[in-house]
Amino acid sequence: MDNRYDPKRIEPKWQTVWDANKQFKVDEDPSREKYYLLEMFPYPSGKIHMGHVRNYTIGDVIARYKRMRGFNVLHPMGWDAFGMPAENAAIANNTHPAAWTYANIDAMREQLKRMGYSYDWDREFATCAPDYYKWEQWLFLKMLEKGMAYQGESYVNWCDTCQTVLANEQVEAGECWRCGNPVRQKKLTQWFFKISDYAEDLLEYCDRLAGWPEKVTTMQKNWIGKSMGAEIRFQVEDSDRAIDVFTTRPDTIFGATFMCLAPEHPLVRALSRGTGLEADVDAFVERMALQSRSDRMLENYEKEGLFIGAWCLNPMTGRRMPIYIANFALMEYGTGAVMSVPAHDQRDFDFAKKYGLDIVVVIRPYDTPVEQVARTEAYVEDGVLVNSGKFTDMDNKAAQEAITDYFEKNELGRKAVSYRLRDWGISRQRYWGAPIPVIHCESCGAVPVPEEDLPVVLPEDVDLLEGGRSPLETTEAFVQTTCPKCGGPARRETDTMDTFVESSWYFERYCSPHFDRGMFDTGAVGYWMPVDQYIGGVEHAVMHLLYSRYFTRVLKDIGLVDFKEPFTRLLTQGMVCKETVQCPEHGFLYPEETRYDGDQPYCGFCNQKAAVGRVEKMSKSKKNVIDPNVLLDEYGADTVRLFCLFAAPPERSLEWSEQGVEGGFRFLNRIWRLINHWHADIQKVRPFDGDPGELDGAAKKLFSKTHQTIKKVTTDIEERFHFNTAISAVMELVNAMYAAELDMAHAHSASVMRHAVESVILLLAPVVPHITEELWEALGNEPGKLSSAWWPAYREDATISETRLMVVQVNGKVRGRFEVSADADDDAIKEKAMADENVRRFTEGKDIKKIIVVKDKLVNIVV
């Protein structure tokens, strides 16, 4: 073997071998236990970043480990290829979204292969391919047929200048991110999926996802947002109209003194007509349309409203309640109407004080007179009802049920359940997405495209219009068609599907990506699904992960799958973080734009001193990013993989460290030198597999350390995916191998070292696959077969050490280490600790107050 570790030679060699042998291609095999390992597939942005590297490295280690444990492992890769980033890049670079996407896929595929990931590349697909989105168009038709999809109206962020819909993320301080002009709320006809029909089931199964992080299931529960309460009808004065209100606090009905409607509520304009306030109301509604209506943004706004000139009646007290429009009322919650009880809700209290509205106390604390309640703030705790008719003096919790029963008995309202989760609006007035398979006919209305005419292909020979507008509406060859029902002239739907649709079933398609008679081969899905281990960022908790759970239920109800949950276990990896560097003149600086004098950074443009900022998630906006290609060129893929796994547990954030990368490279060189040193002695011997009783001295100690390491690494990976502590254990074994003073005249010394060397290679094979393949071959093993070698087993009797290492602290500081026999008692340990030469330097002539032996590992001396 070569004397020097050379990743630039080794890594391309083995990547070529794996590719040529289709090393990781896999098929269904009912005789073997399957393991489906999947990382969330990437958007083809052009380059993989360190977040990708960490995510995919974690997944690849698990996949390789499971193969070595005998599992039939499916580990695919593909591309989440539709979406706005491609359109944005097309505008910025004067290119077509398709050309930009396909070029990026080619570039990123090469980067992933350079990292040595063990993907079955035969299963690769991009979601922008017609033979992929054909089947989600087919599913759309099935959902339409079964009433699971429908057309309705909803409000969207609309830019009049660009004539397009914007995502919430594209609205910056109420303005369009592209042109800087105001964005308003506009009601558009949209297509929806009835995810709300599955709200209760999705919520219930959150508690059955034992392999998911609790923080993710909690986020999903909150997003679904189940609320128990009552729906109450408030009659509009002098009208046959009524306002339905959902409330979780029916016990406060006697304290409701005014009504607040969302600006989008259909009754706002209707009730204001003829009051003389029409112009003011219309102006307020238009002004609210220019504000972001998300609950997150509303928290930052001052609460404001406007009386619309109409009144409604409290069904329990008969009180005339003025009706306001208010910026904090949302159509997305409940019914879009808020029964305002200022004495017992702080937001209502502030609103009432601002507009001089009545405040009526209906709950008092158990030990406080009513006169002292709600003087300076709302009382929001439990208590006893007051001013509540026949319910006065009841505990408010008990009164909730009693008052709701009264509503139902007297037809004033009913018990109700409300969910925060709303139906999924999938329409996007964008170009780069899957066309919605519907035809609009003046005579027949919205008509589904016949199945035999699928896919409705997105034309890729058109260009985006000015401002990024979709060209589909003006592309006559696409739009103009005939009605499938009457044969008359008709127009195609020009909205495209939300890109979350593509990512809500791709994991099933991986099971049979070339199947052309349906969404997937149900037999293949029956074998591989559900995904055993899914890996991705926590930021996808309430969109992608929730939609995927919903889609799987739809597929089950249609009869294509027999399970509800797509992912058995979920790992949400932490972020990759790095300190920022900022120049007072040029702002944030990329690493290559910074030079250092010691620890002081300087701007590479103006040579001014730059400031080191906080450690934050790597992002292009903060320029605290590291290009993986630079690391691959300098250190190789194995070093990058090792650093990503060793620096932190997978679920924790990883802080970037140049020293950490260099340390990983030094460790790999250390392994190479160790095996090179022993190569001649161990190449032609078999690893020791006899009885540990045949060994003694250094050989027995090394054999025991090897089996302790195998046990530790196996446990850390199998139970916790704690690769950092597993790697640390291998490092300790390597140290022991360097320190081992083996008597080569002894019959078993070479075979014990061979056993230790092979164990190091096998244990590190999932982590650093290139160098371990090279070393495995150098030992005389069959080339290219390490990835299918069996994971090493440990002997329990060999893990029992005859000695143990003790650490000595004096007043909390480590002052010595020594070994004692495994059966040494505390007195013997204390005696040996006090005899240690270095320990004596810190204890001689001093009063020894305590000597404590802790857990057979630590001696703590207090002087």
Side-chain angles (χ1 to χ4, degrees), residues 729-749:
V730 178
M731 289 177 172
E732 290 183 14
L733 175 57
V734 170
N735 290 340
M737 293 163 70
Y738 265 101
E741 297 178 356
L742 294 176
D743 179 4
M744 296 311 294
H746 193 286
H748 297 305
S749 291

Side-chain angles (χ1 to χ4, degrees), residues 30-106:
S31 68
R32 297 175 62 195
E33 186 175 357
K34 66 91 178 181
Y35 193 88
Y36 188 175
L37 185 285
L38 184 63
E39 307 97 1
M40 294 179 186
F41 64 168
Y43 183 81
S45 58
K47 285 184 177 181
I48 63 171
H49 53 66
M50 287 305 297
H52 289 132
V53 170
R54 189 181 192 205
N55 184 6
Y56 302 143
T57 299
I58 291 168
D60 194 56
V61 173
I62 299 170
R64 288 176 176 273
Y65 168 77
K66 289 294 183 179
R67 283 192 198 95
M68 296 176 74
R69 297 307 298 261
F71 288 88
N72 192 26
V73 176
L74 174 58
H75 188 206
M77 174 51 66
W79 312 97
D80 190 10
F82 273 140
M84 287 188 299
E87 294 190 14
N88 298 341
I91 295 167
N93 299 304
N94 195 29
T95 187
H96 192 281
W100 186 83
T101 298
Y102 295 130
N104 288 349
I105 287 173
D106 291 340

Side-chain angles (χ1 to χ4, degrees), residues 802-861:
E802 294 185 353
T803 63
R804 62 180 189 266
L805 178 68
M806 302 298 300
V807 176
V808 186
Q809 290 183 346
V810 179
N811 288 351
K813 294 185 178 180
V814 175
R815 300 302 187 188
R817 291 178 174 84
F818 61 87
E819 285 193 346
V820 296
S821 64
D823 58 359
D825 60 19
D826 286 2
D827 289 337
I829 293 171
K830 292 176 183 178
E831 183 178 343
K832 192 157 186 177
M834 293 302 297
D836 184 272
E837 183 177 346
N838 195 54
V839 171
R840 287 210 315 268
R841 290 175 49 218
F842 294 93
T843 58
E844 279 184 342
K846 297 181 180 178
D847 181 24
I848 307 297
K849 296 180 178 178
K850 287 182 183 177
I851 304 178
I852 305 168
V853 179
V854 183
K855 294 185 178 179
D856 296 333
K857 293 181 180 179
L858 174 68
V859 181
N860 197 358
I861 302 172

Side-chain angles (χ1 to χ4, degrees), residues 378-600:
Y379 177 71
V380 297
E381 305 300 330
D382 292 334
V384 177
L385 261 59
V386 295
N387 302 321
S388 297
K390 69 176 186 175
F391 302 100
T392 297
D393 295 330
M394 284 187 70
D395 181 273
N396 76 295
K397 288 293 186 184
Q400 289 183 1
E401 185 79 16
I403 291 175
T404 304
D405 288 342
Y406 181 87
F407 290 152
E408 291 191 326
K409 183 177 180 180
N410 291 275
E411 298 184 349
L412 300 173
R414 62 183 181 85
K415 292 179 181 177
V417 177
S418 179
Y419 295 93
R420 183 175 184 264
L421 181 68
R422 289 294 186 257
D423 285 340
W424 177 7
I426 65 158
S427 294
R428 296 293 180 268
Q429 291 70 37
R430 317 292 313 180
Y431 161 65
W432 191 236
I436 294 174
V438 170
I439 292 170
H440 296 282
C441 172
E442 287 191 8
S443 300
C444 306
V447 181
V449 171
E451 286 184 28
E452 59 269 22
D453 292 343
L454 298 180
V456 177
V457 177
L458 181 74
E460 294 188 7
D461 57 351
V462 296
D463 295 318
L464 295 176
L465 302 180
E466 184 180 354
R469 289 183 296 124
S470 171
L472 295 182
E473 288 188 10
T474 59
T475 304
E476 294 299 310
F478 175 80
V479 174
Q480 297 296 340
T481 187
T482 56
C483 174
K485 186 177 286 187
C486 70
R491 294 177 61 84
R492 291 194 186 279
E493 172 67 68
T494 56
D495 283 356
T496 55
M497 293 193 208
D498 181 3
T499 54
F500 277 113
V501 175
E502 281 85 62
S503 61
S504 294
W505 69 284
Y506 79 106
F507 35 87
E508 273 113 357
R509 185 66 179 174
Y510 274 144
C511 298
S512 52
H514 309 297
F515 190 70
D516 61 2
R517 299 188 303 279
M519 293 184 74
F520 42 75
D521 182 336
T522 55
V525 166
Y527 176 77
W528 289 114
M529 287 293 292
V531 174
D532 294 281
Q533 182 66 61
Y534 199 35
I535 304 173
V538 72
E539 66 271 18
H540 299 291
V542 294
M543 301 293 279
H544 163 60
L545 289 170
L546 187 64
Y547 291 152
S548 296
R549 295 181 62 215
Y550 160 63
F551 243 53
T552 303
R553 283 160 168 76
V554 170
L555 294 174
K556 184 176 188 298
D557 287 349
I558 288 176
L560 293 179
V561 302
D562 59 3
F563 51 89
K564 287 186 176 183
E565 294 297 342
F567 314 121
T568 302
R569 295 182 64 184
L570 173 69
L571 172 64
T572 53
Q573 86 281 358
M575 299 179 295
V576 181
C577 303
K578 186 182 182 299
E579 64 187 15
T580 57
V581 178
Q582 193 169 10
C583 168
E585 182 176 345
H586 293 96
F588 289 111
L589 301 174
Y590 285 111
E592 59 269 24
E593 297 171 347
T594 310
R595 66 174 183 84
Y596 282 84
D597 183 359
D599 293 332
Q600 175 60 54

Side-chain angles (χ1 to χ4, degrees), residues 135-149 448 451 519 554 558 560:
W135 297 109
E136 67 191 46
Q137 291 176 340
W138 176 87
L139 183 64
F140 176 94
L141 296 179
K142 292 299 177 187
M143 294 173 71
L144 196 60
E145 180 184 304
K146 294 178 177 293
M148 297 175 170
E451 286 184 28
M519 293 184 74
V554 170
I558 288 176
L560 293 179

